[in-house]
Amino acid sequence: MLESAFDKHSPGNRSEPLGLAANPTADAKLAGLGRFFHAVNLEQIAELLGSGPAGLTDREAVLRRGQFGSNELAQAPPPAHWKLFLGQFRAAVVWLLVVAALISGAMGEWTDSLAIMAIVLLNGVLGFLQEDKSRRALDALQKMSAPLAHVFRDGGLQAIPAKDLVPGDRIRIEAGDHIPVDARLLDAASLSVQESALTGESNVVEKDAQALLEENTPLAERNNMVYLGTITTAGKASAIVVATGMRTELGRIAGLLERQQSEPTPLERRLDELGKVLMAVCLVLVAIIFLLQIWRGGDWIAVFLLSVSLAVAAVPEGLPAVVTLALALGLERMIKRHALVRKLPSVETLGSVTVICSDKTGTLTRNEMTVREIVTSLRRYRVTGAGFDPRGQFLKSLAAERPPDASSFQPVEQPRDEIDLIQALTIAGRCTTAQLHPPDDGSEQWRVVGDPTEGALIVAALKAGLDFPPPPQGVLREIPFDSDRKAMSIIVDECHAQSMLTKGAPEVILARSSHEQIEGQTRPLTSERREELLRLGTELASRAMRVLALARRSYPPAYRGVYHESELTFVALVGMLDPPREEAKEAVRRCGQAGIRPIMITGDHPATAAAIARELEIGDGLVVTGRELDGMSDEVLASQADRISVYARVTAEHKQRVVHALKRRGEVVAMTGDGVNDAPAVSAADIGIAMGTSGTDVTKAASDMVLTDDNFASIVNAVEEGRGIFDNIQKVVHFLLSCNAGEVLFMFVAALAGWPTPLVPIQLLWINLITDGLPALTLGMERPDARIMSRPPRPPREPVITLARGLRIGAYGVLFALSMALGFTYVLWHENASAQSARTVAFCIACYSQMFFAFGCRSERLTFPQLGVFSNSSMLTAILLSGLLQLGTVMLPAGRAVFETVAVTGEQWIVIILLSLVPVTVLEVLKFLPAHGQPAN
């Protein structure tokens, strides 16, 4: 069967590659062989797929993507826009409004009826726009978190989105990768794959690229294939893509897979419960007002409309949309600060983090070796700068024997005048096989091709103004490094002579040295001096530096004999390390201010870990190793975890134990990871953080958040944004509930006192839509407060509305009600004006007081001195727009007709302005009190 299928689909005929054929039968060719690639030899597969050792060209890949489509499983389409729009009208209070509008129309009150329907539609449009924007923002997040694949294109290895893979692509697979396609292995080194998600086989499957199997080999036994949806657990391999998207084995059973539905976060669930409680309370009050008005002889239709409108105004039904928008905007800000949130509930947890457990290499440090000190026979030099950027300067001290303090170092004006230093840097810059490349393709990073240690030596030479041709130019011969000799040498032409330039371990180089260079002169190396130099090397190593010795030897110009690494002239010792990121120092400091304890957990040497921790000011110098952890029980570790800030030489199991111990103490733990073995600890943490650059797919899948720059500072920035998001949600809740409470209390007091109806239904709905809704949306756009990282973490189980905040909301509600009542009664009795005139004044006070109050809710500190007027331009625009619209309801004849208002006198405008300023003035004055200045988060 296989032979016939192959003959049928190979045009005997394979005169051109599959993708370039631009042939509608191309898909059928793969379909005929798709289930049997495990039984076809590699040469036939490569010929059929038109794939050579260099992989496909980008042009060919584009053509094939047009034929076979993207490498994606079919997914349910997003809901249609009309469904999203209709979904805005599911709430019970909205249908109450619709019923009220219909009843108004049936009674001939067409103005009220049309106004209510217009407000219902406008509210629906705003809700639809908010939800659509949030959905698009979350879709963008999902696209950003899409997996990458390493593929050979145009002869080079590239990282591309997995969805862009096509049949015939040659991919590279490493431990921790999610397999992005179905592929036939070309070569494999100790490759094992976890295929339980596809086959149900719980044990890992060892792969063999050279195997040729029978056609009817079961899927679980095809050890020369890898399949979409499985995970590489060990080893590495290269493979040729044979099926993508819905043509893969997983695609054939895609009907069993469903797109993960987004679930409400714990915060959203708590807000939903809060909304239900508020609705119940408001409905009780509204029912009381309804009965009181009926008891006093009010028209039941008018009273019904008023009650329904009050219920709508009292319940913050727009809160879920505002919360979603605040989350979406916050997530967008996080992305700009290199933190990609994969799971929404983690945003809430970020604000409660008390401990950040971080790896050292690449997160707290740059993962770029840097020369820090050079010790010649007479002098010690320090080198500034960090990473592979060749900018820096040299400082020198005359005390080479012991590590001097920083004050004894003086800048070197002309490094080329330092003979021994230049000789050392010449050896460092030439005795290498690495190359340093400047930034390109818009990147700001210098990069090293080759050994990072050799790259650091080249960078040090460039800082002194030395530039050498890239190897092997100018090199007569190379004696490569090996682990037995612990040295490397090159032979170069130098001043009409041959010079052997050597670098290696200090103990090896010094043992093979017979002389040392002092001020450019060669002097015999005594045993005492050799011991002194070894002690200097040990001293550098004790400060967590990697130490190399540099030496040279001269040969005659025409020498053609054997080059021996002996009778060398010692030149210098070089100490280098992977330095801490500059931004990590500031981030650690900010952690201390924010009540967050940073913990370093690394597999590196204890001395290295201690040196970096000391430089970053993490912990008090105590370092616990993995071996010491093995000797601790879980109970002992939990009891000691509060004083241990540095763990070294640890395994993945140790990391997981540390996380569990911290959580047992009640800490909220964030944990970083990159390798496959980090996934259990990342998954066990309250916030699992994967490295976006160096992290494996397995770790990313287990994480809640991905750092796109692998930088510790980005974790702290994410915590800041998480706190800011929660703060914004609290501001919105505080604002909406204070305003709504004021409206309900005002109406309730008026009903109890027997006053004329102070606000009519259309006015209540207008307040709810314009002066509540728009400012609330813009409150969700506030950037984090400047002092947000100067306060302790929020308790994880603290409610959205604490007792203190609830009392303040009630107090501000009383202020709103009092302001409206004073204005209403002043006009009604002091001016002996009509009820409609008093109602107009109360209506304006309700609107403008809420607009002013929104400014005060922006910050727990004095708003205008701290934030200014223009720092939230969206709020300024929303309030100006709302204010103008409100003016239209009392100044334009059409507005007065619709909203049942009358013209306002000059004296009344003074009353409106003064009383509207009362709530925000009290709010700002109370901010002077220390207790109020601390947010009840």
Side-chain angles (χ1 to χ4, degrees):
M1 177 180 175
L2 172 64
E3 290 74 16
S4 62
F6 189 83
D7 292 340
K8 176 181 178 182
H9 294 294
S10 52
N13 296 322
R14 292 188 296 273
S15 57
E16 53 187 352
L18 175 64
L20 292 179
N23 189 329
T25 63
D27 200 8
K29 294 178 184 179
L30 282 185
L33 280 174
R35 306 300 295 272
F36 309 111
F37 276 111
H38 58 277
V40 183
N41 67 53
L42 293 174
E43 290 76 12
Q44 288 177 307
I45 293 174
E47 186 178 357
L48 174 67
L49 296 175
S51 177
L56 302 178
T57 64
D58 284 335
R59 177 175 175 273
E60 173 69 14
V62 170
L63 290 172
R64 297 192 183 195
R65 200 174 307 120
Q67 290 177 335
F68 301 108
S70 294
N71 178 37
E72 296 174 305
L73 296 180
Q75 295 180 342
H81 283 86
W82 64 269
K83 288 185 177 179
L84 279 179
F85 180 68
L86 291 181
Q88 307 304 313
F89 304 98
R90 289 177 298 191
V93 289
V94 174
W95 284 106
L96 278 175
L97 277 179
V98 173
V99 170
L102 293 175
I103 292 175
S104 294
M107 300 297 295
E109 300 289 341
W110 289 108
T111 301
D112 279 356
S113 178
L114 291 175
I116 292 172
M117 289 305 297
I119 286 177
V120 168
L121 286 173
L122 186 56
N123 193 59
V125 169
L126 288 175
F128 163 74
L129 293 175
Q130 293 166 24
E131 187 171 338
D132 185 57
K133 179 175 181 179
S134 299
R135 181 180 61 81
R136 284 187 281 110
L138 295 178
D139 284 346
L141 290 178
Q142 287 185 340
K143 289 178 183 177
M144 288 192 67
S145 63
L148 296 177
H150 292 92
V151 60
F152 290 93
R153 289 269 177 88
D154 291 319
L157 186 65
Q158 305 176 18
I160 66 171
K163 68 181 181 63
D164 291 340
L165 291 174
V166 296
D169 265 328
R170 296 193 175 215
I171 60 173
R172 189 167 76 179
I173 305 164
E174 296 182 348
D177 288 352
H178 279 265
I179 306 297
V181 288
D182 287 2
R184 172 67 188 272
L185 292 172
L186 295 172
D187 58 69
S190 305
L191 185 69
S192 299
V193 180
Q194 175 57 261
E195 297 183 341
S196 58
L198 180 65
T199 66
E201 173 62 55
S202 58
N203 296 322
V204 296
V205 179
E206 295 182 359
K207 297 294 183 176
D208 181 3
Q210 304 306 315
L212 192 63
L213 308 175
E214 298 293 329
E215 293 177 36
N216 58 357
T217 302
L219 183 65
E221 298 176 14
R222 298 177 189 172
N223 63 349
N224 60 1
M225 298 282 295
V226 289
Y227 294 102
L228 172 66
T230 61
I231 300 171
T232 309
T233 58
K236 58 184 178 180
S238 61
I240 185 168
V241 177
V242 299
T244 58
M246 295 303 291
R247 298 172 185 82
T248 61
E249 293 292 338
L250 190 60
R252 293 187 176 93
I253 57 172
L256 302 178
L257 302 174
E258 296 180 358
R259 186 178 183 181
Q260 184 177 355
Q261 299 296 316
S262 59
E263 297 181 356
T265 69
L267 172 62
E268 290 173 321
R269 283 195 291 267
R270 291 210 297 270
L271 288 173
D272 184 55
E273 293 167 2
L274 173 64
K276 290 175 181 177
V277 172
L278 291 173
M279 180 177 285
V281 173
C282 290
L283 288 178
V284 170
L285 292 175
V286 168
I288 293 173
I289 293 171
F290 176 83
L291 293 174
L292 286 172
Q293 295 285 12
I294 293 294
W295 178 62
R296 291 196 172 92
D299 178 69
W300 76 270
I301 294 295
V303 173
F304 171 74
L305 290 175
L306 177 67
S307 300
V308 169
S309 301
L310 183 58
V312 173
V315 176
E317 69 277 354
L319 188 57
V322 176
V323 168
T324 304
L325 185 63
L327 283 169
L329 293 174
L331 296 179
E332 287 179 3
R333 287 199 301 269
M334 283 189 185
I335 291 171
K336 293 175 182 176
R337 303 181 76 176
H338 308 292
L340 174 61
V341 174
R342 300 182 63 253
K343 300 172 184 176
L344 276 181
S346 61
V347 177
E348 182 183 354
T349 311
L350 276 170
S352 302
V353 166
T354 59
V355 171
I356 299 176
C357 297
S358 175
D359 192 15
K360 176 185 71 69
T361 305
T363 307
L364 289 167
T365 65
R366 299 175 61 96
N367 198 20
E368 296 177 354
M369 292 297 288
T370 303
V371 173
R372 279 294 182 87
E373 291 194 18
I374 299 174
V375 180
T376 62
S377 292
L378 294 182
R379 292 181 179 85
R380 183 184 294 254
Y381 299 88
R382 282 190 178 168
V383 188
T384 66
F388 297 142
D389 188 339
R391 288 179 293 185
Q393 65 174 142
F394 292 84
L395 310 173
K396 72 175 178 179
S397 171
L398 298 180
E401 293 76 14
R402 57 185 178 82
D405 56 49
S407 62
S408 66
F409 282 90
Q410 302 297 324
V412 176
E413 298 296 337
Q414 295 293 332
R416 289 179 178 271
D417 293 340
E418 305 289 323
I419 299 175
D420 293 345
L421 173 66
I422 291 301
Q423 182 64 68
L425 292 173
T426 300
I427 298 170
R430 299 202 68 177
C431 187
T432 175
T433 58
Q435 296 183 34
L436 182 69
H437 293 277
D440 58 4
D441 299 329
S443 170
E444 297 180 358
Q445 300 294 322
W446 289 72
R447 57 190 180 88
V448 167
V449 176
D451 189 332
T453 299
E454 294 189 341
L457 296 173
I458 296 173
V459 170
L462 286 172
K463 289 176 180 177
L466 303 180
D467 195 5
F468 306 106
Q473 296 181 38
V475 177
L476 301 177
R477 184 179 172 187
E478 175 187 334
I479 306 174
F481 174 88
D482 70 50
S483 55
D484 293 329
R485 289 176 23 255
K486 295 183 179 180
M488 171 193 173
S489 297
I490 61 169
I491 289 84
V492 297
D493 271 326
E494 203 173 60
C495 299
H496 308 293
Q498 291 185 26
S499 292
M500 182 167 68
L501 310 179
T502 303
K503 70 173 188 288
E507 63 274 16
V508 172
I509 299 300
L510 285 167
R512 299 184 179 191
S513 296
S514 58
H515 294 76
E516 63 176 321
Q517 178 173 311
I518 301 176
E519 297 287 7
Q521 303 297 314
T522 300
R523 304 284 177 80
L525 179 66
T526 65
S527 56
E528 292 80 9
R529 278 289 297 156
R530 183 178 287 110
E531 290 300 320
E532 281 184 28
L533 292 169
L534 284 173
R535 280 196 297 272
L536 284 171
T538 302
E539 176 263 311
L540 291 174
S542 69
R543 290 188 283 132
M545 294 191 198
R546 180 177 183 184
V547 185
L548 291 176
L550 306 175
R552 62 192 309 277
R553 178 178 175 179
S554 296
Y555 286 91
Y559 184 76
R560 293 292 181 270
V562 178
Y563 296 93
H564 295 284
E565 292 172 334
S566 59
E567 299 183 17
L568 300 172
T569 299
F570 169 81
V571 177
L573 295 171
V574 177
M576 64 189 80
L577 52 73
D578 179 13
R581 294 175 179 264
E582 289 298 322
E583 59 270 33
K585 298 178 182 179
E586 172 64 15
V588 169
R589 186 191 65 79
R590 293 178 66 205
C591 280
Q593 288 183 336
I596 301 170
R597 185 161 66 98
I599 294 178
M600 181 194 297
I601 305 182
T602 179
D604 217 331
H605 192 278
T608 305
I612 298 298
R614 185 166 53 250
E615 195 160 345
L616 291 174
E617 298 182 5
I618 295 177
D620 56 4
L622 175 63
V623 179
V624 173
T625 65
R627 181 174 296 179
E628 290 169 327
L629 283 176
D630 289 334
M632 294 185 187
S633 66
D634 290 341
E635 291 73 19
V636 171
L637 177 57
S639 67
Q640 300 292 319
D642 63 326
R643 65 186 193 89
I644 304 172
S645 295
V646 181
Y647 297 85
R649 284 285 191 255
V650 295
T651 64
E653 183 182 355
H654 293 140
K655 292 181 180 181
Q656 193 172 14
R657 285 189 64 201
V658 170
V659 169
H660 285 307
L662 291 166
K663 291 177 70 174
R664 199 174 293 128
R665 294 186 60 86
E667 305 282 4
V668 179
V669 183
M671 174 74 198
T672 69
D674 52 9
V676 179
N677 56 353
D678 290 333
V682 168
S683 182
D686 296 288
I687 293 285
I689 303 171
M691 301 295 106
T693 302
S694 60
T696 60
D697 288 344
V698 173
T699 308
K700 292 176 186 176
S703 70
D704 302 290
M705 186 172 79
V706 177
L707 298 183
T708 58
D709 62 349
D710 294 8
N711 193 334
F712 180 82
S714 296
I715 306 174
V716 182
N717 292 338
V719 170
E720 179 183 10
E721 291 291 350
R723 291 185 177 190
I725 289 172
F726 195 84
D727 268 11
N728 285 349
I729 291 170
Q730 285 192 317
K731 292 170 189 174
V732 171
V733 171
H734 185 103
F735 171 74
L736 287 176
L737 295 190
S738 297
C739 296
N740 292 3
E743 295 164 28
V744 173
L745 284 174
F746 177 45
M747 297 295 290
F748 186 68
V749 169
L752 288 177
W755 299 345
T757 303
L759 294 171
V760 295
I762 191 68
Q763 293 171 348
L764 285 167
L765 297 177
W766 179 257
I767 294 169
N768 188 54
L769 178 68
I770 300 301
T771 61
D772 269 10
L774 292 179
L777 282 176
T778 57
L779 272 175
M781 300 178 184
E782 285 288 335
R783 294 195 172 276
D785 187 274
R787 296 194 309 181
I788 200 168
M789 295 297 283
S790 298
R791 65 188 199 220
R794 174 179 54 83
R797 292 177 180 81
E798 186 176 77
V800 179
I801 300 179
T802 60
L803 177 60
R805 189 175 288 275
L807 292 174
R808 285 159 55 193
I809 288 172
Y812 292 128
V814 170
L815 278 176
F816 278 115
L818 183 61
S819 297
M820 288 183 278
L822 286 173
F824 183 80
T825 55
Y826 176 83
V827 174
L828 188 63
W829 291 311
H830 180 74
E831 296 186 355
N832 293 317
S834 65
Q836 191 173 15
S837 182
R839 188 179 298 125
T840 301
V841 170
F843 177 40
C844 288
I845 292 172
C847 291
Y848 288 114
S849 62
Q850 293 181 16
M851 294 179 207
F852 294 144
F853 190 69
F855 278 115
C857 290
R858 291 182 58 198
S859 173
E860 294 289 341
R861 299 181 291 158
L862 291 173
T863 301
F864 294 106
Q866 299 293 337
L867 303 181
V869 179
F870 302 103
S871 57
N872 187 341
S873 58
S874 298
M875 171 170 282
L876 188 61
T877 303
I879 289 179
L880 287 175
L881 177 62
S882 299
L884 290 173
L885 289 172
Q886 177 59 25
L887 276 178
T889 66
V890 296
M891 298 186 72
L892 299 177
R896 291 198 291 266
V898 171
F899 291 95
E900 303 180 28
T901 60
V902 295
V904 178
T905 67
E907 183 181 348
Q908 288 172 350
W909 274 120
I910 294 174
V911 171
I912 289 169
I913 293 172
L914 290 177
L915 290 176
S916 296
L917 288 171
V918 168
V920 70
T921 302
V922 173
L923 173 62
E924 291 295 297
V925 169
L926 287 176
K927 290 179 181 179
F928 284 105
L929 301 178
H932 192 285
Q934 296 300 321
N937 46 334

